[in-house]
Amino acid sequence: MKLRWALIAVAACAVAALATIPGCATFSYYGQAVRGHLDLMNRIRPIDAQLADGTTSPELRAKLARVLEIREFASRELGLPENGSYRAYADLERPYAVWNVFAAPEFSVEPRASCFPIVGCVSYRGYYAQGDAEAFAAGLRKEGYDVFVYGVPAYSTLGWFDDPVLNTFVRYPDAELARLVFHELAHQLVYVKGDTMFNESFAVAVEEEGVRRWMAKHATERERAAYAELRARRNEFVRLVLRYRARLDDFYREALPAEEKRAGKARLLAEMEAEYRALKAERWGGWSGYDRWFENGVNNAQLASVATYEELVPAFRALLAREGRDMARFYGAVKALAQLDKSAREAELAALARQPAAGPFSRSGRSHARTAACATPIATSAAA
């Protein structure tokens, strides 16, 4: 749930530099990023001041106090950066911080990349206004791309700024609130330029372990059981999506006429939706937490968005288990992987993914290949 693009360049006085970037569309995109982030920064107020303000509602006061507890836990128990992030609050007066746009070709499950200074190439493009995101998406659709637009409650500036708590997520249930904070702080610890899947999967692994530890200390047995059930359902959903992504990837590589590929694509996507309906009815008691993901029809961009956040999580789970669930050792091993070139890094992660690892929220206690947890564009009961 983040953006890592040109808004970071504000720290380096990028506003002046934008004039040197060719292309009106590029200039406009960077301009909205700078303006959007500066607007966010101008709304920030220290949480201590918000708590001391008599006009702060009791509900918001309780949530902000909980955030400070989560923030201390993140550094004390998980070894995440100790800085000013999530010690201030901002009300953006809108439901999401940004809107991300994923795109993929008609016959490919690989996301269209967008490349920027400092952060390199990422698998999506983000906008501070939904209208701008939809306009960009419309242009991509005219070019023949499958497109997926979704709202994002938070993003990380990778430590260039102190990221605030936002109205877009502060009222989440405590476990989801903790998950998001742990995820975003993980990006400040390790970030590999141009490797979105590595970065997101690492952060998901950190949030999983963080929430497991947080709930062990702060949740009741009933709350832990409910959260485990939610995560088990999520893992089943992710396995379903990634399995069909792999099937489509194989199918698209076949030498077939375009019309046959379109028919085969429609058939496979319909099969996936039918399996989801059966899963919901037979295993989840009718629980409909992912219905919105299917409501407009599934496409390649949606499959690519899930893979971006989930594909490598089993490898990071296995690495965490190998390091005895010691976070300092785990971070050291991840940083060593980050130093490798991409092909060597992928080979190491593929080997790790083949190893069994403990899954903190799976019913069986063991992870399955190609599964994961939250902080993604996938809807849950806490974040649609």
Side-chain angles (χ1 to χ4, degrees):
M1 288 187 173
K2 317 100 313 281
L3 277 152
R4 327 223 194 312
W5 22 270
L7 59 85
I8 295 172
V10 176
C13 299
V15 175
L18 292 178
T20 68
I21 300 174
C24 293
T26 302
F27 183 88
S28 175
Y29 176 73
Y30 279 67
Q32 67 86 31
V34 171
R35 289 191 303 273
H37 187 66
L38 287 176
D39 174 67
L40 181 151
M41 299 297 286
N42 286 334
R43 294 170 180 265
I44 288 175
R45 187 182 190 191
I47 288 179
D48 288 343
Q50 192 78 40
L51 293 174
D53 188 336
T55 65
T56 301
S57 71
E59 179 192 10
L60 179 57
R61 188 186 307 277
K63 280 297 184 180
L64 290 174
R66 196 61 158 170
V67 168
L68 292 182
E69 293 177 22
I70 291 168
R71 184 64 188 82
E72 293 301 325
F73 183 93
S75 295
R76 184 182 69 249
E77 302 291 336
L78 302 177
L80 291 169
E82 176 59 50
N83 54 33
S85 289
Y86 306 108
R87 300 185 189 281
Y89 174 70
D91 187 344
L92 300 180
E93 300 179 48
R94 57 179 186 264
Y96 296 106
V98 288
W99 283 262
N100 276 0
V101 181
F102 266 89
E106 183 182 10
F107 301 129
S108 173
V109 291
E110 295 301 319
R112 176 185 184 273
S114 293
C115 300
F116 307 102
I118 301 177
V119 299
C121 296
V122 295
S123 301
Y124 49 82
R125 183 174 287 213
Y127 290 85
Y128 282 90
Q130 184 177 8
D132 291 342
E134 296 290 356
F136 179 64
L140 291 173
R141 289 189 186 98
K142 288 181 180 178
E143 294 178 30
Y145 284 98
D146 285 6
V147 181
F148 179 42
V149 181
Y150 63 94
V152 180
Y155 63 85
S156 171
T157 57
L158 309 180
W160 287 74
F161 300 93
D162 290 334
D163 299 319
V165 180
L166 302 174
N167 67 294
T168 54
F169 64 85
V170 71
R171 289 177 173 81
Y172 281 6
D174 287 354
E176 291 297 310
L177 188 56
R179 173 194 62 74
L180 189 147
V181 170
F182 301 154
H183 184 106
E184 302 302 344
L185 286 172
H187 286 304
Q188 297 185 16
L189 193 66
V190 179
Y191 180 83
V192 178
K193 183 177 180 178
D195 198 338
T196 307
M197 191 175 289
F198 178 92
N199 297 326
E200 297 302 341
S201 296
F202 161 66
V204 168
V206 172
E207 72 170 54
E208 275 192 341
E209 180 66 11
V211 173
R212 183 186 70 81
R213 296 186 186 195
W214 168 264
M215 296 195 77
K217 290 191 174 184
H218 297 278
T220 66
E221 186 61 35
R222 183 175 181 178
E223 288 169 336
R224 287 193 289 271
Y227 195 74
E229 182 175 43
L230 179 67
R231 303 296 275 223
R233 288 172 177 172
R234 178 184 173 74
N235 284 349
E236 289 182 290
F237 172 78
V238 169
R239 286 198 298 276
L240 172 68
V241 172
L242 293 184
R243 177 159 51 83
Y244 273 91
R245 178 180 180 271
R247 289 183 64 185
L248 280 161
D249 188 38
D250 291 339
F251 175 71
Y252 291 148
R253 295 176 190 277
E254 295 181 19
L256 297 172
E259 286 306 312
E260 287 188 35
K261 285 193 174 184
R262 287 191 186 99
K265 173 184 179 180
R267 183 185 68 254
L268 286 168
L269 291 175
E271 286 180 15
M272 181 179 69
E273 184 166 358
E275 281 199 40
Y276 166 70
R277 301 298 174 193
L279 184 66
K280 185 174 74 168
E282 297 167 12
R283 293 179 58 83
W284 298 351
W287 185 79
S288 58
Y290 299 110
D291 281 8
R292 283 185 60 191
W293 199 79
F294 287 95
E295 67 182 359
N296 295 317
V298 182
N299 63 36
N300 294 333
Q302 284 173 260
L303 303 179
S305 73
V306 174
T308 294
Y309 286 83
E310 314 291 352
E311 188 84 5
L312 300 178
V313 174
F316 285 103
R317 284 183 183 149
L319 182 58
L320 180 60
R322 191 191 76 185
E323 300 302 329
R325 312 199 86 82
D326 181 291
M327 299 307 288
R329 286 168 49 189
F330 173 60
Y331 297 148
V334 172
K335 289 175 181 178
L337 283 173
Q339 296 302 311
L340 301 176
D341 64 63
K342 191 168 185 178
S343 60
R345 185 164 61 245
E346 288 175 347
E348 291 282 346
L349 290 167
L352 282 164
R354 291 191 289 269
Q355 301 175 17
F361 293 107
S362 68
R363 286 186 176 129
S364 65
R366 297 180 67 81
S367 69
H368 304 269
R370 303 163 77 92
T371 67
C374 283
T376 76
I378 304 173
T380 71
S381 62

